[in-house]
Structure formats: structure tokens, C-alpha cells
């Protein structure tokens, strides 16, 4: 039975909807702050989180371009998405075992890393499908709408988590002042720990439309996977050797490497930072997350429209500037002062200021990520799109250890979470400078 183009696009949107809770619930707003509660120290949690995410990012960087080259040579991406979906579900589910006072930190971080890597690998293959969903003029709007749809999925999952499951560590009640549903024990933090199984079930359920509606065209010259794996290394080596001659693509990969690393640092450490510096609970961070995800959905959609009208480059540049200023502003927010102005211990101003920063992070981050993947489509060879997104993942992960590890190291050396955030500003500015050498429509279109 033929599947309409519109249904294929909606099926593709559902990957963003299904996978977004790993970022929203686990990476940023629920499980990250919970790690702080488990370890009892914001500084210790930020250090462990930094090392864990950094090591996972290094593993992703090594494997991503090779996997992309294999998929392009084998002529199929769907099989890879199935495999990594299984690891996504298993890794997320394993976070249930992070019980207070009785948990193996290494095992918990290993499960988290497996799920995170699986999500990133699956994203490579789904992103590579973007050029086949519409014309060059349409893909910016499609990308923005998909990203916005994904944010809405993360928002709904976060609301369900906060209202029905995630308990306050002191009161044992959720955000709507009830005990966690399903008889989960607040004393054992079973409501908060359920974030892992919830994320796994959410993904498995909402990937059904993706697998039903998304179809790949047959690729001429495709070879068996094992043969593709043997041929992928020399093919990838050849691609890397030609990168210096492709100045616009190389400059974009370097630029995105830095600014995406900085943005991921904001997402990864935002909740831990608020928990440690402002003494927020998991439910407090969750409310902050609701606002950030809501603005992310809205501005990913708006950014997609701006991308379609002006192209992705100005959208990227504008949002990198906004995020640089936000990173600077966050450093000057604490329980005792806001932007250099002293406040009393009971003042709500630090909370209000941090909520405003969260709204800006969500808005600029949503538009930036949507425009970034359409920019890569403009720079890349359409016949090697999965390999290109593998290189994009390499660019995003080759130095992805810099933000978390530098935050971890600076936090460890200074004993200050605020000082630990400062490397993000440098990374955003490096990305902005390198963007100067990126041609808006890529080298082939310019030629």
C-alpha cells in the first residue's frame, strides 16, 4: 500500500516525539537533579555527570561516522534504527535501579550512557532522511516543525512525570500534591526513579507510527551490510581526506562542533546547576523545564519558518549570540545576588531570573538545533547524506567531552558551580567566529 508524502513526514516527526524524553526527562530536568540528591552535593554531581557524559560523547564520536558510511553503502537506515531503539529502551529502563542508599553509580551511569548513545546513533539515521521529505525550500520548515513536535512530546512527558510520579524528596508528594501513582513508594524515590521505565515505554509506543509510515527508497548499487562494513573504512578515510578542500562544509562542522557542545552543556548541567546553586528540588527543576520546553517548541516552529525565508545561517548566528549572553547571565545568578545586585535569603528574584534564562535557553536552543540540521543538508553530498550526518555527529561529539569535562574540571578546581559554567561562553564564541567561513547554500550550490 502506497504511503502519502504527508504521512511519511508525520511518521518522521514521531521519532522526535518518541526520543525527546531522553533529553527532557533524563538528561536535563528529572534524572540529572536526582543524581544530585543521590550524591548529596551539587559539586560532586556536576563532576560525575561531566565525566559520564564526556566519556559517552567520546564513544559516540568514534563510531558515528563509520556507522553512517556503512548505512550509505548498504543502502538502508531502518535496520540500524531498529537495533539502536532496543538499546535505547534497555538503557533508559536501567535507571530504575538508582535507589537511594543502595545503588551502583557505575552501573547507573553505564545504563544512562548506553541509552544516550543509542539515541544519538538513531538520530543520525533519521536526520539523514530529511532531504527525501521535501524540496530544498521546504526542508527548513519540515525540520522546524519536527523539532517543535518533539518538544511538545517532551513537554507532555514532563507534565505527566511531575504531576503523577516525581515526588519531592522532603514531602513525598508530586507537583499536584498527591503521592506517586501505581503505589510507588516515595521513601524509596520510586516515583522519580520511574522516569527510566516511563522514557523507555514512551519511546517504544510512539516509534510505532515511525516504523509504519516511514519508507526508504531503494538505493542503486547497495551492497550487503558486511561488505559495506569492510568498504566503509577506506570510503570514510577518503571523505575525511577531501574535507580540507571543502572549506564551507569543514568550517560548518567545526562551528557546529563548538556551539552544539556548549548548548548540550547548558542542557546537561542546567538542572544540576539550579539544584546546587539555588537549592531547587527535582519538582522545582521540573517546573523550570516546563517553561524551557514550551518556549523550545514554539521557537523551533518559528525558527523553521525563519529558516525557510532567510536560510539557516542567520538563524544559527542570531541564536548563538543569544545563548552566549544567557551563559554569561547565568553565572551572575545565585541565592545571594542577581546580576551583581544583593538579594535577601527569602527573595524570589533569583528564581524568577533563572526561569527567564531557562525560557531563553529553550527558545534559542530549539531554533538553533532545527536550523543546524537543515544547514548540514545544504552543505552535504545528497548521495552520502547518512555519512554526512555521521560526520555531523562526530563534529558534535569529537569535542563533546570538552564542555562536560571542562565544567567538571573547573568546578572541581574552584569548588564553585558558577565558575564551572564559564567554559560554555568560550565555546559559543568559537562557534560564532567559525560561522563566518560557511557559505549559506554550500559550495556546490555556490559554484
Amino acid at each position: 500500500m502506497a504511503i502519502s508524502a504527508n504521512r511519511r513526514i508525520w511518521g518522521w516527526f514521531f521519532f522526535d516525539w518518541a526520543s525527546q524524553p531522553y533529553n527532557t526527562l533524563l538528561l536535563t530536568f528529572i534524572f540529572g537533579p536526582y543524581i544530585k540528591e543521590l550524591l548529596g552535593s551539587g559539586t560532586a554531581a556536576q563532576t560525575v555527570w561531566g565525566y559520564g557524559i564526556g566519556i559517552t560523547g567520546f564513544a559516540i564520536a568514534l563510531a558515528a561516522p563509520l556507522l553512517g558510511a556503512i548505512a550509505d553503502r548498504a543502502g538502508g537506515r531502518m535496520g540500524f534504527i531498529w537495533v539502536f531503539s532496543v538499546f535505547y529502551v534497555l538503557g533508559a529502563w536501567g535507571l530504575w535501579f538508582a535507589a537511594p542508599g543502595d545503588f551502583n553509580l557505575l552501573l547507573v551511569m553505564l545504563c544512562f550512557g548506553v541509552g544516550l548513545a543509542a539515541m544519538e546513533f538513531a538520530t543520525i539515521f533519521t536526520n539523514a532522511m530529511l532531504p527525501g521529505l521535501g524540496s530544498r525550500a521546504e526542508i527548513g520548515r519540515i525540520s522546524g516543525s519536527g523539532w517543535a513536535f518533539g518538544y511538545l512530546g517532551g513537554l507532555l512527558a514532563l507534565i505527566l512525570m511531575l504531576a503523577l510520579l516525581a515526588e519531592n524528596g522532603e514531602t513525598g508528594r508530586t507537583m499536584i500534591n498527591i503521592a506517586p501513582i501505581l503505589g510507588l513508594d516515595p521513601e524509596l524515590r520510586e516515583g522519580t526513579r520511574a522516569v527510566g521505565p516511563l522514557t523507555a515505554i514512551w519511546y517504544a509506543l510512539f516509534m510505532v507510527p515511525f516504523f509504519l509510515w516511514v519508507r526508504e527508497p531503494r538505493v542503486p548499487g547497495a551492497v550487503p551490510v558486511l561488505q559495506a562494513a569492510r568498504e566503509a573504512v577506506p570510503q570514510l578515510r577518503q571523505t575525511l581526506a577531501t574535507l580540507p578542500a571543502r572549506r564551507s562544509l569543514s568550517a560548518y562542522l567545526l562551528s557546529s562542533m563548538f556551539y552544539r557542545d556548549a548548548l548540550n552543556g547548558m542542557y546537561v548541567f542546567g538542572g544540576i546547576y539550579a539544584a546546587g546553586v539555588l537549592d531547587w528540588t527535582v519538582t522545582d527543576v521540573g517546573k523550570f523545564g516546563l517553561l524551557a520546553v514550551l518556549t523550545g517548541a514554539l521557537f523551533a516552529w518559528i525558527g523553521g519558518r525563519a529558516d525557510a525565508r532567510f536560510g539557516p545561517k542567520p538563524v544559527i548566528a542570531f541564536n548563538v549570540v543569544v545563548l552566549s549572553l544567557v551563559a554569561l547571565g547565568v553565572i551572575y545568578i545565585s541565592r545571594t545576588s542577581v546580576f551583581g545586585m544583593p538579594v535577601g535569603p527569602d527573595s524570589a528574584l533569583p528564581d524568577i531570573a533563572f526561569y527567564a534564562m531557562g525560557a531563553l535557553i529553550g527558545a534559542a536552543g530549539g531554533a538553533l538545533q532545527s536550523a543546524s540540521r537543515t544547514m548540514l543538508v545544504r552543505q552535504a553530498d545528497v548521495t552520502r547524506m547518512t555519512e554526512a550526518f555521521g560526520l555531523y555527529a562526530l563534529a558534535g561529539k569529537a569535542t563533546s567531552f570538552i564542555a562536560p569535562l571542562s565544567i567538571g574540571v573547573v568546578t572541581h578546581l574552584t569548588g564553585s558551580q558558577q565558575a564551572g559554567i564559564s567554559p560554555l561562553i568560550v565555546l559559543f564564541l568559537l562557534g560564532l567566529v567559525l560561522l563566518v567561513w560557511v557559505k549559506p547554500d554550500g559550495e556546490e550550490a555556490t559554484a
Side-chain angles (χ1 to χ4, degrees):
M1 182 179 68
I3 297 175
S4 69
N6 190 56
R7 183 168 289 188
R8 285 179 61 236
I9 291 172
W10 272 101
W12 184 80
F13 285 173
F14 264 98
F15 174 78
D16 281 337
W17 176 283
S19 63
Q20 181 61 33
Y22 211 100
N23 291 304
T24 306
L25 301 184
L26 303 186
L27 196 60
T28 307
F29 298 120
I30 301 294
F31 196 73
Y34 177 59
I35 286 289
K36 180 262 177 183
E37 294 188 14
L38 283 180
L39 299 181
S41 163
T43 301
Q46 189 158 295
T47 301
V48 168
W49 210 233
Y51 288 138
I53 302 299
I55 292 169
T56 303
F58 183 71
I60 294 169
L62 290 178
L66 186 61
L67 288 170
I70 292 171
D72 281 336
R73 194 75 186 90
R77 307 176 183 113
M78 199 64 76
F80 290 94
I81 297 171
W82 271 106
V83 169
F84 290 119
S85 293
V86 171
F87 283 105
Y88 176 111
V89 171
L90 293 175
W93 197 284
L95 301 183
W96 167 259
F97 299 105
D102 182 27
F103 69 98
N104 184 321
L105 183 60
L106 180 61
L107 176 63
V108 169
M109 292 306 296
L110 178 62
C111 288
F112 181 84
V114 166
L116 179 62
M119 182 196 67
E120 293 283 359
F121 289 142
T123 301
I124 293 169
F125 301 107
T126 55
N127 278 347
M129 296 174 174
L130 176 59
L133 298 175
S135 68
R136 190 182 186 88
E138 294 171 329
I139 58 173
R141 177 182 55 79
I142 293 171
S143 178
S145 297
W147 212 282
F149 188 60
Y151 266 119
L152 289 177
L155 177 64
L156 179 57
L158 183 58
I159 290 172
L160 292 174
M161 189 70 206
L162 291 171
L164 305 178
L165 292 167
E167 68 278 283
N168 184 299
E170 297 176 358
T171 66
R173 315 293 283 183
T174 71
M175 189 175 69
I176 60 173
N177 199 32
I178 64 170
I181 62 170
L182 304 177
L184 297 174
D185 189 347
E187 292 293 325
L188 298 176
R189 301 307 301 275
E190 288 183 345
T192 299
R193 288 159 49 202
V195 69
L198 174 66
T199 301
I201 294 169
W202 183 280
Y203 182 86
L205 176 63
F206 289 112
M207 279 298 284
V208 172
F210 177 89
F211 288 121
L212 286 178
W213 297 342
V214 176
R215 294 288 181 271
E216 291 186 279
R218 292 185 177 275
V219 178
V223 301
V225 172
L226 291 179
Q227 181 182 340
R230 289 193 298 270
E231 297 173 355
V233 173
Q235 177 181 313
L236 182 60
R237 189 180 296 124
Q238 178 185 7
T239 300
L240 292 172
T242 62
L243 271 181
R246 304 178 67 184
R247 291 184 61 190
S248 181
L249 174 61
S250 299
Y252 177 60
L253 289 174
L254 286 171
S255 172
S256 71
M257 180 170 70
F258 289 116
Y259 72 66
R260 284 189 294 144
D261 191 18
L263 178 60
N264 287 334
M266 279 188 160
Y267 288 153
V268 169
F269 291 98
I272 290 178
Y273 184 90
V277 174
L278 299 179
D279 298 320
W280 282 8
T281 65
V282 169
T283 50
D284 291 328
V285 175
K287 296 172 188 177
F288 167 84
L290 290 175
L291 178 62
V293 174
L294 185 60
T295 58
L298 176 61
F299 281 88
W301 183 84
I302 293 173
R305 268 61 188 167
D307 182 338
R309 180 169 182 179
F310 305 110
K313 184 175 178 178
V315 176
I316 292 170
F318 174 79
N319 286 292
V320 169
V321 170
V322 171
L323 288 165
S324 302
L325 295 174
V326 169
L328 180 63
V330 162
I331 294 174
Y332 292 98
I333 299 175
S334 72
R335 186 50 66 195
T336 58
S337 68
V338 176
F339 306 134
M341 181 178 65
V343 297
D346 298 325
S347 173
L349 190 58
D351 305 295
I352 294 170
F354 205 75
Y355 277 125
M357 294 295 105
L360 287 172
I361 292 170
L368 177 62
Q369 292 178 100
S370 169
S372 292
R373 64 181 176 188
T374 61
M375 175 60 89
L376 183 69
V377 171
R378 294 195 179 201
Q379 303 293 321
D381 179 350
V382 71
T383 64
R384 293 187 173 183
M385 193 57 65
T386 319
E387 180 185 75
F389 272 102
L391 291 172
Y392 183 65
L394 169 62
K397 298 300 178 184
T399 58
S400 67
F401 58 89
I402 290 182
L405 289 184
S406 62
I407 289 173
V409 169
V410 174
T411 303
H412 179 72
L413 292 176
T414 63
S416 166
Q417 284 190 264
Q418 289 164 281
I421 293 297
S422 58
L424 299 183
I425 302 169
V426 177
L427 292 173
F428 277 127
L429 293 178
L430 284 171
L432 189 63
V433 170
L434 287 165
L435 200 61
V436 172
W437 286 275
V438 178
K439 297 179 180 178
D441 293 311
E443 282 146 334
E444 288 79 4
T446 303

